[in-house]
Amino acid sequence: MNDQKIRRPRQADIATLAGVSVSTVSRVLANEPGISESVRRQILKVAAENGYPVKPASEAVAGGLALIASDGVTGTLSVFYEAIVDGLRAGAAEAGMPFEVRLVREDRTTPDAVRDHMQTAGAEGLFLVGIDPNEMLRDWLQASMTPTVLVNGTDPRMQFDGVSPANFFGAYEATSRLIKAGHRRILHLSGSHRHTIRERVRGFEAAINAVAGAEGRLVSLALQGSASREAHERTAEALAENAGFTAAFCMNDFIAVGVLEAVTEAGLRVPEDFAIVGFDDLPCALMTNPALSTMRVDRAALGREAVSLMLSRFRNRTASARHICQAVVPIPGGTVPNI
């Protein structure tokens, strides 16, 4: 009598015995993250008892620490960074990466301070959120080969991985929206030491220079108090000069709110007499009358992409640095005609 051939159990059999879906069994057997530990143990137990081959679990993912500039979080851009941190947390959870966030003052990001933060957090990878590393920190990060990702940041030397909005191209498109609407004398209200903001200035200037007869003026803001209030004051000054400026591209939506208030108080109609384009697509853009025309930054996507860069850096710590730009999308509003 021939021995009967024993059928190897299928994933569907394991799912039935464990009382879960086939897709859940598939994810557990592939060592994918995002499954509760109790469910994972149950499925592995059932699989082992029924002779289903199980791959050994992959090595644990190293931990990451995000340092975020406290002035950016507690100031007017808090909602901007809140969404980025949500993306970081979600990406880290999906990857099974232990993850912590800490507030720091940017002027106190010394090598010793950063080293202490990483040691107490048990982190191997560093996310610098809205922080451009100073020379001492750069030197230490490179010498120690600390996996580092600049989040909402760019490194002009291309020594560190980074992810940011397409600031140059987004600013170019924002300015072009005003030019297409017929404006030729355009203000750009901006103010920051950060490389990302300098890219927006470059995009504005490039769009102006691409059109014969167009003129742009950079209005530098100190940004030491309320960005909206300072933008209001500087716009009022520019309008009082009677220099013929009829539009403004603003570094962010908070600044655009101040510009809109100043223009309205001057008795100008928006967008008929004066047009405005903001940047970031923050919640305040929908609260103005009319609603702001702006440029959307997918902030949560920046955080998720940063985690992907960190995972790649963990796998190959000597690879060339990479910078990823996320597209910036025009959002229609009532402060510039839809062309």
Side-chain angles (χ1 to χ4, degrees):
M1 182 177 177
N2 294 332
D3 293 333
Q4 286 187 326
K5 185 176 181 180
I6 300 176
R7 181 177 69 86
R8 171 184 167 180
R10 300 170 300 173
Q11 290 190 5
D13 300 324
I14 304 301
T16 299
L17 292 169
V20 298
S21 66
V22 176
S23 63
T24 300
V25 171
S26 176
R27 292 176 63 191
V28 168
L29 296 178
N31 293 322
E32 293 184 8
I35 305 295
S36 71
E37 196 56 36
S38 60
V39 172
R40 185 183 300 276
R41 285 197 298 267
Q42 171 66 7
I43 290 173
L44 292 177
K45 178 175 180 292
V46 171
E49 289 174 347
N50 289 273
Y52 192 95
V54 178
K55 294 189 298 183
S58 58
E59 292 184 7
V61 178
L65 170 67
L67 296 181
I68 179 168
S70 57
D71 53 346
V73 171
T74 57
T76 55
L77 286 178
S78 57
V79 66
F80 184 91
Y81 284 110
E82 179 182 357
I84 289 179
V85 171
D86 286 345
L88 283 166
R89 289 190 189 280
E94 292 169 3
M97 175 191 294
F99 178 76
E100 287 192 29
V101 180
R102 296 190 182 178
L103 296 176
V104 295
R105 277 182 45 178
E106 187 168 1
D107 59 359
R108 294 183 179 177
T109 51
T110 63
D112 288 342
V114 172
R115 183 190 300 111
D116 289 344
H117 280 302
M118 296 189 70
Q119 288 178 347
T120 56
E124 290 187 36
L126 177 66
F127 299 95
L128 293 176
V129 184
I131 296 174
D132 297 325
N134 56 50
E135 284 299 322
M136 286 193 303
L137 183 57
R138 292 180 69 96
D139 291 345
W140 177 74
L141 291 172
Q142 286 192 293
S144 61
M145 295 188 68
T146 300
T148 303
V149 176
L150 306 183
V151 189
N152 191 39
T154 58
D155 179 15
R157 303 184 197 175
M158 285 303 295
Q159 295 171 327
F160 300 112
D161 296 320
V163 58
S164 71
N167 289 295
F168 175 90
F169 297 106
Y172 190 101
E173 176 63 21
T175 308
S176 296
R177 291 170 71 180
L178 296 169
I179 292 173
K180 290 173 184 176
H183 298 278
R184 292 297 180 269
R185 306 203 73 193
I186 303 172
L187 302 172
H188 178 41
L189 289 87
S190 181
S192 175
H193 65 285
R194 303 207 62 226
H195 302 305
T196 52
I197 302 306
R198 293 175 189 169
E199 285 297 292
R200 294 184 191 179
V201 173
R202 287 184 57 242
F204 167 73
E205 292 174 341
I208 292 293
N209 294 334
V211 176
E215 177 185 347
R217 177 191 291 183
L218 175 63
V219 179
S220 296
L221 305 178
L223 299 180
Q224 294 178 343
S226 167
S228 182
R229 185 179 302 112
E230 184 183 3
H232 180 289
E233 295 171 353
R234 297 302 303 277
T235 302
E237 293 172 1
L239 293 175
E241 293 177 6
N242 196 27
F245 288 97
T246 62
F249 162 49
C250 305
M251 182 184 86
N252 61 46
D253 292 334
F254 289 113
I255 291 173
V257 169
V259 173
L260 177 59
E261 291 173 347
V263 169
T264 302
E265 288 179 7
L268 299 176
R269 298 170 303 164
V270 177
E272 293 84 358
D273 302 324
F274 198 98
I276 304 166
V277 176
F279 208 97
D280 294 336
D281 192 28
L282 300 177
C284 66
L286 292 175
M287 301 177 189
T288 59
N289 184 25
L292 287 175
S293 304
T294 186
M295 305 294 293
R296 175 171 294 163
V297 173
D298 189 339
R299 302 180 294 282
L302 294 179
R304 289 177 178 273
E305 195 66 70
V307 173
S308 295
L309 282 172
M310 184 63 77
L311 294 174
S312 296
R313 181 57 53 186
F314 283 156
R315 290 191 291 268
N316 186 349
R317 304 199 180 196
T318 60
S320 298
R322 290 190 296 156
H323 183 80
I324 296 176
C325 284
Q326 292 278 359
V328 178
V329 181
I331 300 299
T335 58
V336 64
N338 296 323
I339 305 300

